[in-house]
Amino acid sequence: ALTTDDMKSIHQTYYTPENVKAVIVCDDNPDKVIDLVVKNFDLKPNNNQTFHMELNPIEKPVRQDIRSSKTNFTNVFIAFAGPKPKNSKDFIISQMLGYYLGQCSTSDLKNNLEKMNAGYDFSSQKISLKEDDPYALISALSLNPNDEQKALDIFYDAIFKLQNNYLTDDEMTSIKNNLNKSFALNMSDSDYICDLLGNCLLNNNMDLFTNYSNIINSITKQDIMNFAKKYYDLNKASIVVLHPSK
């Protein structure tokens, strides 16, 4: 189990100026804002060294079950090694599938989970500063206690379907329209712009800022199927199940 000293050590090792890329959106003097960041975050140089966590891909499924008194529900997290940061097309496809699986009215995963009062959420996370290390694709299921295996089976069936059946024309249109609309609306949000630019700078790739809609509109049904086969390898899934302690 992680201790307070472990957390302090991680912070002292990785939260240093050499490991930081920051984006600030404001109307104030940039030099003044940077001085405030340095002062309040106490960023001290770490001998000019850049530290990276080493990521070792798994070759078989792993699962860990945890019990906690902090929850009354069961939460299942299923993670896969996703696209590398410079692969903008595959990153956007991950967003498209996140929307399809969790929000599209024709999604078997969404509809079958709702029948058991369960929910689905998707996120992708960059967990390394190395440019070639992949994103983690994380699916989260929130459900009633003791329903985890049923929910996992529903998730597995949905992934298998994506790997072996094309989405319909209507589904592709709905997904593309939703993402394009969300992108246009979010471009009026300074927090979103800041986060997006930060990721672009971190990944040394501006495609998600300058070419987002063009990439979305170029994606085909075959691209979706290929993505599901390439990244959603159920034989290389990392699974964590958080159970209530009572």
Side-chain angles (χ1 to χ4, degrees):
L2 283 174
T3 65
T4 301
D5 287 340
D6 291 332
M7 298 300 294
K8 287 181 179 178
S9 177
I10 289 173
H11 191 276
Q12 291 169 358
T13 300
Y14 297 103
Y15 286 73
T16 67
E18 296 80 16
N19 272 5
V20 169
K21 291 188 179 181
V23 176
I24 300 170
V25 179
C26 68
D27 295 326
D28 210 335
N29 183 297
D31 293 332
K32 177 182 176 181
V33 175
I34 291 172
D35 288 342
L36 286 172
V37 171
V38 172
K39 177 182 177 181
N40 288 285
F41 283 88
D42 192 26
L43 296 174
K44 298 177 181 179
N46 196 4
N47 300 321
N48 294 318
Q49 298 182 58
T50 300
F51 293 90
H52 299 293
M53 294 183 180
E54 293 298 324
L55 302 180
N56 299 309
I58 60 174
E59 298 300 327
K60 61 181 180 180
V62 294
R63 172 171 169 168
Q64 184 172 5
D65 288 72
I66 303 170
R67 294 197 175 273
S68 172
S69 61
K70 305 297 184 182
T71 181
N72 294 319
F73 300 93
T74 294
N75 294 279
V76 180
F77 303 93
I78 313 148
F80 303 87
K84 294 184 178 182
K86 290 189 178 181
N87 191 340
S88 302
K89 182 176 179 179
D90 280 359
F91 179 81
I92 290 174
I93 292 175
S94 74
Q95 294 181 322
M96 294 174 71
L97 284 182
Y99 167 77
Y100 169 74
L101 290 170
Q103 299 183 53
C104 196
S105 62
T106 55
S107 165
D108 288 344
L109 177 65
K110 172 182 178 293
N111 294 328
N112 287 329
L113 287 177
E114 285 180 350
K115 292 176 183 177
M116 50 189 291
N117 296 316
Y120 171 85
D121 193 21
F122 168 81
S123 65
S124 58
Q125 295 185 16
K126 183 78 162 59
I127 54 178
S128 167
L129 289 176
K130 286 185 177 180
E131 288 188 3
D132 289 335
D133 279 342
Y135 275 88
L137 305 179
I138 304 171
S139 293
L141 310 176
S142 178
L143 43 130
N144 292 318
N146 303 316
D147 280 350
E148 61 272 9
Q149 192 54 54
K150 183 178 179 181
L152 279 168
D153 289 342
I154 290 172
F155 178 80
Y156 296 154
D157 288 344
I159 296 303
F160 181 81
K161 182 178 179 181
L162 283 172
Q163 293 170 338
N164 293 276
N165 297 276
Y166 291 118
L167 296 182
T168 67
D169 290 337
D170 286 344
E171 287 170 336
M172 291 292 291
T173 298
S174 173
I175 295 168
K176 291 182 179 184
N177 286 346
N178 179 271
L179 264 67
N180 277 320
K181 181 179 179 180
S182 295
F183 182 76
L185 291 172
N186 285 331
M187 290 307 288
S188 63
D189 183 337
S190 60
D191 286 342
Y192 177 85
I193 294 172
C194 189
D195 183 65
L196 177 59
L197 284 174
N199 280 301
C200 289
L201 291 172
L202 182 64
N203 299 330
N204 195 26
N205 180 9
M206 295 298 292
D207 269 351
L208 296 180
F209 186 76
T210 61
N211 205 30
Y212 188 83
S213 292
N214 288 334
I215 296 173
I216 288 179
N217 295 332
S218 73
I219 291 168
T220 67
K221 300 176 187 179
Q222 187 66 57
D223 292 330
I224 300 287
M225 181 182 286
N226 292 344
F227 180 97
K229 290 179 178 179
K230 180 177 181 179
Y231 297 108
Y232 282 108
D233 185 346
L234 298 176
N235 293 314
K236 297 181 181 180
S238 298
I239 302 170
V240 175
V241 184
L242 179 64
H243 306 267
S245 57
K246 294 182 180 180

mmCIF file with all atom_site columns, all heavy atoms in Angstrom, residues 93-117:
data_model
loop_
_atom_site.group_PDB
_atom_site.id
_atom_site.type_symbol
_atom_site.label_atom_id
_atom_site.label_alt_id
_atom_site.label_comp_id
_atom_site.label_asym_id
_atom_site.label_entity_id
_atom_site.label_seq_id
_atom_site.pdbx_PDB_ins_code
_atom_site.Cartn_x
_atom_site.Cartn_y
_atom_site.Cartn_z
_atom_site.occupancy
_atom_site.B_iso_or_equiv
_atom_site.pdbx_formal_charge
_atom_site.auth_seq_id
_atom_site.auth_comp_id
_atom_site.auth_asym_id
_atom_site.auth_atom_id
_atom_site.pdbx_PDB_model_num
ATOM 1   N N   . ILE A 1 93  ? -10.312 8.483  -32.602 1.00 0.00 ? 93  ILE A N   1
ATOM 2   C CA  . ILE A 1 93  ? -11.176 7.300  -32.659 1.00 0.00 ? 93  ILE A CA  1
ATOM 3   C C   . ILE A 1 93  ? -11.496 6.810  -31.242 1.00 0.00 ? 93  ILE A C   1
ATOM 4   O O   . ILE A 1 93  ? -12.624 6.377  -30.964 1.00 0.00 ? 93  ILE A O   1
ATOM 5   C CB  . ILE A 1 93  ? -10.532 6.182  -33.490 1.00 0.00 ? 93  ILE A CB  1
ATOM 6   C CG1 . ILE A 1 93  ? -10.464 6.587  -34.961 1.00 0.00 ? 93  ILE A CG1 1
ATOM 7   C CG2 . ILE A 1 93  ? -11.331 4.870  -33.358 1.00 0.00 ? 93  ILE A CG2 1
ATOM 8   C CD1 . ILE A 1 93  ? -9.734  5.583  -35.853 1.00 0.00 ? 93  ILE A CD1 1
ATOM 9   N N   . SER A 1 94  ? -10.533 6.912  -30.335 1.00 0.00 ? 94  SER A N   1
ATOM 10  C CA  . SER A 1 94  ? -10.811 6.506  -28.945 1.00 0.00 ? 94  SER A CA  1
ATOM 11  C C   . SER A 1 94  ? -11.918 7.367  -28.349 1.00 0.00 ? 94  SER A C   1
ATOM 12  O O   . SER A 1 94  ? -12.776 6.875  -27.608 1.00 0.00 ? 94  SER A O   1
ATOM 13  C CB  . SER A 1 94  ? -9.537  6.594  -28.092 1.00 0.00 ? 94  SER A CB  1
ATOM 14  O OG  . SER A 1 94  ? -9.185  7.930  -27.792 1.00 0.00 ? 94  SER A OG  1
ATOM 15  N N   . GLN A 1 95  ? -11.938 8.665  -28.684 1.00 0.00 ? 95  GLN A N   1
ATOM 16  C CA  . GLN A 1 95  ? -13.010 9.546  -28.221 1.00 0.00 ? 95  GLN A CA  1
ATOM 17  C C   . GLN A 1 95  ? -14.339 9.162  -28.863 1.00 0.00 ? 95  GLN A C   1
ATOM 18  O O   . GLN A 1 95  ? -15.394 9.192  -28.201 1.00 0.00 ? 95  GLN A O   1
ATOM 19  C CB  . GLN A 1 95  ? -12.672 10.993 -28.554 1.00 0.00 ? 95  GLN A CB  1
ATOM 20  C CG  . GLN A 1 95  ? -11.470 11.551 -27.817 1.00 0.00 ? 95  GLN A CG  1
ATOM 21  C CD  . GLN A 1 95  ? -11.213 13.003 -28.171 1.00 0.00 ? 95  GLN A CD  1
ATOM 22  O OE1 . GLN A 1 95  ? -11.376 13.417 -29.316 1.00 0.00 ? 95  GLN A OE1 1
ATOM 23  N NE2 . GLN A 1 95  ? -10.811 13.797 -27.190 1.00 0.00 ? 95  GLN A NE2 1
ATOM 24  N N   . MET A 1 96  ? -14.301 8.836  -30.142 1.00 0.00 ? 96  MET A N   1
ATOM 25  C CA  . MET A 1 96  ? -15.520 8.445  -30.848 1.00 0.00 ? 96  MET A CA  1
ATOM 26  C C   . MET A 1 96  ? -16.131 7.199  -30.224 1.00 0.00 ? 96  MET A C   1
ATOM 27  O O   . MET A 1 96  ? -17.349 7.126  -29.999 1.00 0.00 ? 96  MET A O   1
ATOM 28  C CB  . MET A 1 96  ? -15.209 8.201  -32.329 1.00 0.00 ? 96  MET A CB  1
ATOM 29  C CG  . MET A 1 96  ? -14.776 9.456  -33.080 1.00 0.00 ? 96  MET A CG  1
ATOM 30  S SD  . MET A 1 96  ? -14.238 9.138  -34.778 1.00 0.00 ? 96  MET A SD  1
ATOM 31  C CE  . MET A 1 96  ? -15.833 8.723  -35.565 1.00 0.00 ? 96  MET A CE  1
ATOM 32  N N   . LEU A 1 97  ? -15.284 6.216  -29.901 1.00 0.00 ? 97  LEU A N   1
ATOM 33  C CA  . LEU A 1 97  ? -15.800 4.985  -29.300 1.00 0.00 ? 97  LEU A CA  1
ATOM 34  C C   . LEU A 1 97  ? -16.257 5.232  -27.864 1.00 0.00 ? 97  LEU A C   1
ATOM 35  O O   . LEU A 1 97  ? -17.208 4.601  -27.400 1.00 0.00 ? 97  LEU A O   1
ATOM 36  C CB  . LEU A 1 97  ? -14.742 3.894  -29.350 1.00 0.00 ? 97  LEU A CB  1
ATOM 37  C CG  . LEU A 1 97  ? -14.538 3.243  -30.717 1.00 0.00 ? 97  LEU A CG  1
ATOM 38  C CD1 . LEU A 1 97  ? -13.498 2.137  -30.651 1.00 0.00 ? 97  LEU A CD1 1
ATOM 39  C CD2 . LEU A 1 97  ? -15.854 2.687  -31.251 1.00 0.00 ? 97  LEU A CD2 1
ATOM 40  N N   . GLY A 1 98  ? -15.586 6.138  -27.159 1.00 0.00 ? 98  GLY A N   1
ATOM 41  C CA  . GLY A 1 98  ? -16.041 6.478  -25.812 1.00 0.00 ? 98  GLY A CA  1
ATOM 42  C C   . GLY A 1 98  ? -17.449 7.045  -25.839 1.00 0.00 ? 98  GLY A C   1
ATOM 43  O O   . GLY A 1 98  ? -18.296 6.695  -25.006 1.00 0.00 ? 98  GLY A O   1
ATOM 44  N N   . TYR A 1 99  ? -17.712 7.919  -26.822 1.00 0.00 ? 99  TYR A N   1
ATOM 45  C CA  . TYR A 1 99  ? -19.062 8.467  -26.969 1.00 0.00 ? 99  TYR A CA  1
ATOM 46  C C   . TYR A 1 99  ? -20.048 7.374  -27.386 1.00 0.00 ? 99  TYR A C   1
ATOM 47  O O   . TYR A 1 99  ? -21.142 7.256  -26.816 1.00 0.00 ? 99  TYR A O   1
ATOM 48  C CB  . TYR A 1 99  ? -19.079 9.595  -27.993 1.00 0.00 ? 99  TYR A CB  1
ATOM 49  C CG  . TYR A 1 99  ? -20.482 9.991  -28.406 1.00 0.00 ? 99  TYR A CG  1
ATOM 50  C CD1 . TYR A 1 99  ? -21.271 10.762 -27.567 1.00 0.00 ? 99  TYR A CD1 1
ATOM 51  C CD2 . TYR A 1 99  ? -21.014 9.560  -29.622 1.00 0.00 ? 99  TYR A CD2 1
ATOM 52  C CE1 . TYR A 1 99  ? -22.568 11.109 -27.923 1.00 0.00 ? 99  TYR A CE1 1
ATOM 53  C CE2 . TYR A 1 99  ? -22.315 9.897  -29.979 1.00 0.00 ? 99  TYR A CE2 1
ATOM 54  C CZ  . TYR A 1 99  ? -23.086 10.670 -29.131 1.00 0.00 ? 99  TYR A CZ  1
ATOM 55  O OH  . TYR A 1 99  ? -24.362 10.997 -29.499 1.00 0.00 ? 99  TYR A OH  1
ATOM 56  N N   . TYR A 1 100 ? -19.666 6.580  -28.377 1.00 0.00 ? 100 TYR A N   1
ATOM 57  C CA  . TYR A 1 100 ? -20.579 5.548  -28.873 1.00 0.00 ? 100 TYR A CA  1
ATOM 58  C C   . TYR A 1 100 ? -20.965 4.566  -27.761 1.00 0.00 ? 100 TYR A C   1
ATOM 59  O O   . TYR A 1 100 ? -22.154 4.296  -27.541 1.00 0.00 ? 100 TYR A O   1
ATOM 60  C CB  . TYR A 1 100 ? -19.945 4.785  -30.028 1.00 0.00 ? 100 TYR A CB  1
ATOM 61  C CG  . TYR A 1 100 ? -20.723 3.545  -30.402 1.00 0.00 ? 100 TYR A CG  1
ATOM 62  C CD1 . TYR A 1 100 ? -21.930 3.647  -31.083 1.00 0.00 ? 100 TYR A CD1 1
ATOM 63  C CD2 . TYR A 1 100 ? -20.270 2.283  -30.037 1.00 0.00 ? 100 TYR A CD2 1
ATOM 64  C CE1 . TYR A 1 100 ? -22.673 2.513  -31.400 1.00 0.00 ? 100 TYR A CE1 1
ATOM 65  C CE2 . TYR A 1 100 ? -21.003 1.137  -30.351 1.00 0.00 ? 100 TYR A CE2 1
ATOM 66  C CZ  . TYR A 1 100 ? -22.207 1.254  -31.024 1.00 0.00 ? 100 TYR A CZ  1
ATOM 67  O OH  . TYR A 1 100 ? -22.935 0.127  -31.318 1.00 0.00 ? 100 TYR A OH  1
ATOM 68  N N   . LEU A 1 101 ? -19.990 4.041  -27.054 1.00 0.00 ? 101 LEU A N   1
ATOM 69  C CA  . LEU A 1 101 ? -20.266 3.020  -26.046 1.00 0.00 ? 101 LEU A CA  1
ATOM 70  C C   . LEU A 1 101 ? -21.100 3.560  -24.889 1.00 0.00 ? 101 LEU A C   1
ATOM 71  O O   . LEU A 1 101 ? -21.977 2.868  -24.375 1.00 0.00 ? 101 LEU A O   1
ATOM 72  C CB  . LEU A 1 101 ? -18.948 2.454  -25.512 1.00 0.00 ? 101 LEU A CB  1
ATOM 73  C CG  . LEU A 1 101 ? -18.147 1.576  -26.477 1.00 0.00 ? 101 LEU A CG  1
ATOM 74  C CD1 . LEU A 1 101 ? -16.755 1.292  -25.913 1.00 0.00 ? 101 LEU A CD1 1
ATOM 75  C CD2 . LEU A 1 101 ? -18.877 0.272  -26.766 1.00 0.00 ? 101 LEU A CD2 1
ATOM 76  N N   . GLY A 1 102 ? -20.848 4.807  -24.487 1.00 0.00 ? 102 GLY A N   1
ATOM 77  C CA  . GLY A 1 102 ? -21.496 5.322  -23.295 1.00 0.00 ? 102 GLY A CA  1
ATOM 78  C C   . GLY A 1 102 ? -22.720 6.179  -23.506 1.00 0.00 ? 102 GLY A C   1
ATOM 79  O O   . GLY A 1 102 ? -23.530 6.328  -22.589 1.00 0.00 ? 102 GLY A O   1
ATOM 80  N N   . GLN A 1 103 ? -22.888 6.745  -24.741 1.00 0.00 ? 103 GLN A N   1
ATOM 81  C CA  . GLN A 1 103 ? -23.967 7.709  -24.921 1.00 0.00 ? 103 GLN A CA  1
ATOM 82  C C   . GLN A 1 103 ? -24.863 7.458  -26.135 1.00 0.00 ? 103 GLN A C   1
ATOM 83  O O   . GLN A 1 103 ? -25.991 7.954  -26.172 1.00 0.00 ? 103 GLN A O   1
ATOM 84  C CB  . GLN A 1 103 ? -23.376 9.117  -25.033 1.00 0.00 ? 103 GLN A CB  1
ATOM 85  C CG  . GLN A 1 103 ? -22.604 9.556  -23.795 1.00 0.00 ? 103 GLN A CG  1
ATOM 86  C CD  . GLN A 1 103 ? -22.105 10.981 -23.905 1.00 0.00 ? 103 GLN A CD  1
ATOM 87  O OE1 . GLN A 1 103 ? -22.880 11.900 -24.179 1.00 0.00 ? 103 GLN A OE1 1
ATOM 88  N NE2 . GLN A 1 103 ? -20.808 11.184 -23.713 1.00 0.00 ? 103 GLN A NE2 1
ATOM 89  N N   . CYS A 1 104 ? -24.387 6.746  -27.119 1.00 0.00 ? 104 CYS A N   1
ATOM 90  C CA  . CYS A 1 104 ? -25.187 6.534  -28.320 1.00 0.00 ? 104 CYS A CA  1
ATOM 91  C C   . CYS A 1 104 ? -26.389 5.648  -28.007 1.00 0.00 ? 104 CYS A C   1
ATOM 92  O O   . CYS A 1 104 ? -26.268 4.623  -27.323 1.00 0.00 ? 104 CYS A O   1
ATOM 93  C CB  . CYS A 1 104 ? -24.316 5.895  -29.405 1.00 0.00 ? 104 CYS A CB  1
ATOM 94  S SG  . CYS A 1 104 ? -25.025 5.998  -31.062 1.00 0.00 ? 104 CYS A SG  1
ATOM 95  N N   . SER A 1 105 ? -27.556 6.026  -28.508 1.00 0.00 ? 105 SER A N   1
ATOM 96  C CA  . SER A 1 105 ? -28.798 5.315  -28.176 1.00 0.00 ? 105 SER A CA  1
ATOM 97  C C   . SER A 1 105 ? -28.803 3.873  -28.678 1.00 0.00 ? 105 SER A C   1
ATOM 98  O O   . SER A 1 105 ? -29.560 3.045  -28.169 1.00 0.00 ? 105 SER A O   1
ATOM 99  C CB  . SER A 1 105 ? -30.005 6.072  -28.749 1.00 0.00 ? 105 SER A CB  1
ATOM 100 O OG  . SER A 1 105 ? -29.933 6.137  -30.165 1.00 0.00 ? 105 SER A OG  1
ATOM 101 N N   . THR A 1 106 ? -27.978 3.550  -29.651 1.00 0.00 ? 106 THR A N   1
ATOM 102 C CA  . THR A 1 106 ? -27.941 2.190  -30.204 1.00 0.00 ? 106 THR A CA  1
ATOM 103 C C   . THR A 1 106 ? -26.827 1.341  -29.597 1.00 0.00 ? 106 THR A C   1
ATOM 104 O O   . THR A 1 106 ? -26.613 0.205  -30.026 1.00 0.00 ? 106 THR A O   1
ATOM 105 C CB  . THR A 1 106 ? -27.743 2.240  -31.727 1.00 0.00 ? 106 THR A CB  1
ATOM 106 O OG1 . THR A 1 106 ? -26.559 2.995  -32.035 1.00 0.00 ? 106 THR A OG1 1
ATOM 107 C CG2 . THR A 1 106 ? -28.944 2.880  -32.412 1.00 0.00 ? 106 THR A CG2 1
ATOM 108 N N   . SER A 1 107 ? -26.125 1.855  -28.590 1.00 0.00 ? 107 SER A N   1
ATOM 109 C CA  . SER A 1 107 ? -25.023 1.115  -27.969 1.00 0.00 ? 107 SER A CA  1
ATOM 110 C C   . SER A 1 107 ? -25.554 -0.015 -27.099 1.00 0.00 ? 107 SER A C   1
ATOM 111 O O   . SER A 1 107 ? -26.286 0.222  -26.129 1.00 0.00 ? 107 SER A O   1
ATOM 112 C CB  . SER A 1 107 ? -24.171 2.058  -27.122 1.00 0.00 ? 107 SER A CB  1
ATOM 113 O OG  . SER A 1 107 ? -23.328 1.341  -26.248 1.00 0.00 ? 107 SER A OG  1
ATOM 114 N N   . ASP A 1 108 ? -25.173 -1.241 -27.423 1.00 0.00 ? 108 ASP A N   1
ATOM 115 C CA  . ASP A 1 108 ? -25.579 -2.385 -26.598 1.00 0.00 ? 108 ASP A CA  1
ATOM 116 C C   . ASP A 1 108 ? -25.030 -2.252 -25.178 1.00 0.00 ? 108 ASP A C   1
ATOM 117 O O   . ASP A 1 108 ? -25.702 -2.623 -24.208 1.00 0.00 ? 108 ASP A O   1
ATOM 118 C CB  . ASP A 1 108 ? -25.080 -3.691 -27.214 1.00 0.00 ? 108 ASP A CB  1
ATOM 119 C CG  . ASP A 1 108 ? -25.845 -4.069 -28.473 1.00 0.00 ? 108 ASP A CG  1
ATOM 120 O OD1 . ASP A 1 108 ? -26.933 -3.509 -28.708 1.00 0.00 ? 108 ASP A OD1 1
ATOM 121 O OD2 . ASP A 1 108 ? -25.350 -4.933 -29.232 1.00 0.00 ? 108 ASP A OD2 1
ATOM 122 N N   . LEU A 1 109 ? -23.805 -1.746 -25.053 1.00 0.00 ? 109 LEU A N   1
ATOM 123 C CA  . LEU A 1 109 ? -23.219 -1.590 -23.724 1.00 0.00 ? 109 LEU A CA  1
ATOM 124 C C   . LEU A 1 109 ? -24.068 -0.644 -22.883 1.00 0.00 ? 109 LEU A C   1
ATOM 125 O O   . LEU A 1 109 ? -24.440 -0.978 -21.749 1.00 0.00 ? 109 LEU A O   1
ATOM 126 C CB  . LEU A 1 109 ? -21.791 -1.050 -23.850 1.00 0.00 ? 109 LEU A CB  1
ATOM 127 C CG  . LEU A 1 109 ? -21.077 -0.764 -22.532 1.00 0.00 ? 109 LEU A CG  1
ATOM 128 C CD1 . LEU A 1 109 ? -20.854 -2.046 -21.751 1.00 0.00 ? 109 LEU A CD1 1
ATOM 129 C CD2 . LEU A 1 109 ? -19.758 -0.041 -22.757 1.00 0.00 ? 109 LEU A CD2 1
ATOM 130 N N   . LYS A 1 110 ? -24.376 0.522  -23.417 1.00 0.00 ? 110 LYS A N   1
ATOM 131 C CA  . LYS A 1 110 ? -25.174 1.504  -22.687 1.00 0.00 ? 110 LYS A CA  1
ATOM 132 C C   . LYS A 1 110 ? -26.535 0.929  -22.306 1.00 0.00 ? 110 LYS A C   1
ATOM 133 O O   . LYS A 1 110 ? -26.964 1.009  -21.144 1.00 0.00 ? 110 LYS A O   1
ATOM 134 C CB  . LYS A 1 110 ? -25.361 2.754  -23.539 1.00 0.00 ? 110 LYS A CB  1
ATOM 135 C CG  . LYS A 1 110 ? -26.330 3.797  -22.977 1.00 0.00 ? 110 LYS A CG  1
ATOM 136 C CD  . LYS A 1 110 ? -26.469 4.966  -23.932 1.00 0.00 ? 110 LYS A CD  1
ATOM 137 C CE  . LYS A 1 110 ? -27.456 6.017  -23.431 1.00 0.00 ? 110 LYS A CE  1
ATOM 138 N NZ  . LYS A 1 110 ? -28.844 5.485  -23.410 1.00 0.00 ? 110 LYS A NZ  1
ATOM 139 N N   . ASN A 1 111 ? -27.214 0.338  -23.256 1.00 0.00 ? 111 ASN A N   1
ATOM 140 C CA  . ASN A 1 111 ? -28.578 -0.143 -23.019 1.00 0.00 ? 111 ASN A CA  1
ATOM 141 C C   . ASN A 1 111 ? -28.621 -1.317 -22.054 1.00 0.00 ? 111 ASN A C   1
ATOM 142 O O   . ASN A 1 111 ? -29.511 -1.397 -21.194 1.00 0.00 ? 111 ASN A O   1
ATOM 143 C CB  . ASN A 1 111 ? -29.230 -0.519 -24.353 1.00 0.00 ? 111 ASN A CB  1
ATOM 144 C CG  . ASN A 1 111 ? -29.440 0.687  -25.245 1.00 0.00 ? 111 ASN A CG  1
ATOM 145 O OD1 . ASN A 1 111 ? -29.673 1.799  -24.764 1.00 0.00 ? 111 ASN A OD1 1
ATOM 146 N ND2 . ASN A 1 111 ? -29.356 0.500  -26.557 1.00 0.00 ? 111 ASN A ND2 1
ATOM 147 N N   . ASN A 1 112 ? -27.665 -2.232 -22.163 1.00 0.00 ? 112 ASN A N   1
ATOM 148 C CA  . ASN A 1 112 ? -27.660 -3.392 -21.270 1.00 0.00 ? 112 ASN A CA  1
ATOM 149 C C   . ASN A 1 112 ? -27.224 -3.024 -19.856 1.00 0.00 ? 112 ASN A C   1
ATOM 150 O O   . ASN A 1 112 ? -27.717 -3.610 -18.882 1.00 0.00 ? 112 ASN A O   1
ATOM 151 C CB  . ASN A 1 112 ? -26.749 -4.485 -21.840 1.00 0.00 ? 112 ASN A CB  1
ATOM 152 C CG  . ASN A 1 112 ? -27.359 -5.169 -23.047 1.00 0.00 ? 112 ASN A CG  1
ATOM 153 O OD1 . ASN A 1 112 ? -28.579 -5.285 -23.157 1.00 0.00 ? 112 ASN A OD1 1
ATOM 154 N ND2 . ASN A 1 112 ? -26.522 -5.599 -23.973 1.00 0.00 ? 112 ASN A ND2 1
ATOM 155 N N   . LEU A 1 113 ? -26.317 -2.064 -19.727 1.00 0.00 ? 113 LEU A N   1
ATOM 156 C CA  . LEU A 1 113 ? -25.932 -1.609 -18.388 1.00 0.00 ? 113 LEU A CA  1
ATOM 157 C C   . LEU A 1 113 ? -27.080 -0.887 -17.707 1.00 0.00 ? 113 LEU A C   1
ATOM 158 O O   . LEU A 1 113 ? -27.296 -1.023 -16.500 1.00 0.00 ? 113 LEU A O   1
ATOM 159 C CB  . LEU A 1 113 ? -24.707 -0.705 -18.464 1.00 0.00 ? 113 LEU A CB  1
ATOM 160 C CG  . LEU A 1 113 ? -23.363 -1.374 -18.763 1.00 0.00 ? 113 LEU A CG  1
ATOM 161 C CD1 . LEU A 1 113 ? -22.267 -0.328 -18.882 1.00 0.00 ? 113 LEU A CD1 1
ATOM 162 C CD2 . LEU A 1 113 ? -22.992 -2.395 -17.693 1.00 0.00 ? 113 LEU A CD2 1
ATOM 163 N N   . GLU A 1 114 ? -27.834 -0.099 -18.478 1.00 0.00 ? 114 GLU A N   1
ATOM 164 C CA  . GLU A 1 114 ? -28.960 0.633  -17.895 1.00 0.00 ? 114 GLU A CA  1
ATOM 165 C C   . GLU A 1 114 ? -30.013 -0.321 -17.333 1.00 0.00 ? 114 GLU A C   1
ATOM 166 O O   . GLU A 1 114 ? -30.672 -0.005 -16.332 1.00 0.00 ? 114 GLU A O   1
ATOM 167 C CB  . GLU A 1 114 ? -29.581 1.558  -18.937 1.00 0.00 ? 114 GLU A CB  1
ATOM 168 C CG  . GLU A 1 114 ? -28.738 2.798  -19.224 1.00 0.00 ? 114 GLU A CG  1
ATOM 169 C CD  . GLU A 1 114 ? -29.361 3.704  -20.265 1.00 0.00 ? 114 GLU A CD  1
ATOM 170 O OE1 . GLU A 1 114 ? -30.361 3.286  -20.907 1.00 0.00 ? 114 GLU A OE1 1
ATOM 171 O OE2 . GLU A 1 114 ? -28.858 4.835  -20.443 1.00 0.00 ? 114 GLU A OE2 1
ATOM 172 N N   . LYS A 1 115 ? -30.160 -1.492 -17.933 1.00 0.00 ? 115 LYS A N   1
ATOM 173 C CA  . LYS A 1 115 ? -31.135 -2.477 -17.448 1.00 0.00 ? 115 LYS A CA  1
ATOM 174 C C   . LYS A 1 115 ? -30.784 -2.974 -16.053 1.00 0.00 ? 115 LYS A C   1
ATOM 175 O O   . LYS A 1 115 ? -31.652 -3.447 -15.321 1.00 0.00 ? 115 LYS A O   1
ATOM 176 C CB  . LYS A 1 115 ? -31.219 -3.655 -18.415 1.00 0.00 ? 115 LYS A CB  1
ATOM 177 C CG  . LYS A 1 115 ? -31.825 -3.310 -19.773 1.00 0.00 ? 115 LYS A CG  1
ATOM 178 C CD  . LYS A 1 115 ? -31.783 -4.499 -20.711 1.00 0.00 ? 115 LYS A CD  1
ATOM 179 C CE  . LYS A 1 115 ? -32.310 -4.133 -22.090 1.00 0.00 ? 115 LYS A CE  1
ATOM 180 N NZ  . LYS A 1 115 ? -32.211 -5.279 -23.049 1.00 0.00 ? 115 LYS A NZ  1
ATOM 181 N N   . MET A 1 116 ? -29.493 -2.907 -15.699 1.00 0.00 ? 116 MET A N   1
ATOM 182 C CA  . MET A 1 116 ? -29.073 -3.348 -14.371 1.00 0.00 ? 116 MET A CA  1
ATOM 183 C C   . MET A 1 116 ? -28.654 -2.152 -13.501 1.00 0.00 ? 116 MET A C   1
ATOM 184 O O   . MET A 1 116 ? -27.918 -2.303 -12.531 1.00 0.00 ? 116 MET A O   1
ATOM 185 C CB  . MET A 1 116 ? -27.935 -4.368 -14.469 1.00 0.00 ? 116 MET A CB  1
ATOM 186 C CG  . MET A 1 116 ? -26.786 -3.946 -15.360 1.00 0.00 ? 116 MET A CG  1
ATOM 187 S SD  . MET A 1 116 ? -25.579 -5.284 -15.645 1.00 0.00 ? 116 MET A SD  1
ATOM 188 C CE  . MET A 1 116 ? -24.865 -5.427 -14.023 1.00 0.00 ? 116 MET A CE  1
ATOM 189 N N   . ASN A 1 117 ? -29.174 -0.951 -13.854 1.00 0.00 ? 117 ASN A N   1
ATOM 190 C CA  . ASN A 1 117 ? -28.902 0.274  -13.101 1.00 0.00 ? 117 ASN A CA  1
ATOM 191 C C   . ASN A 1 117 ? -27.406 0.534  -12.952 1.00 0.00 ? 117 ASN A C   1
ATOM 192 O O   . ASN A 1 117 ? -26.928 0.920  -11.873 1.00 0.00 ? 117 ASN A O   1
ATOM 193 C CB  . ASN A 1 117 ? -29.568 0.204  -11.716 1.00 0.00 ? 117 ASN A CB  1
ATOM 194 C CG  . ASN A 1 117 ? -31.066 0.147  -11.807 1.00 0.00 ? 117 ASN A CG  1
ATOM 195 O OD1 . ASN A 1 117 ? -31.689 0.872  -12.581 1.00 0.00 ? 117 ASN A OD1 1
ATOM 196 N ND2 . ASN A 1 117 ? -31.679 -0.744 -11.022 1.00 0.00 ? 117 ASN A ND2 1
#
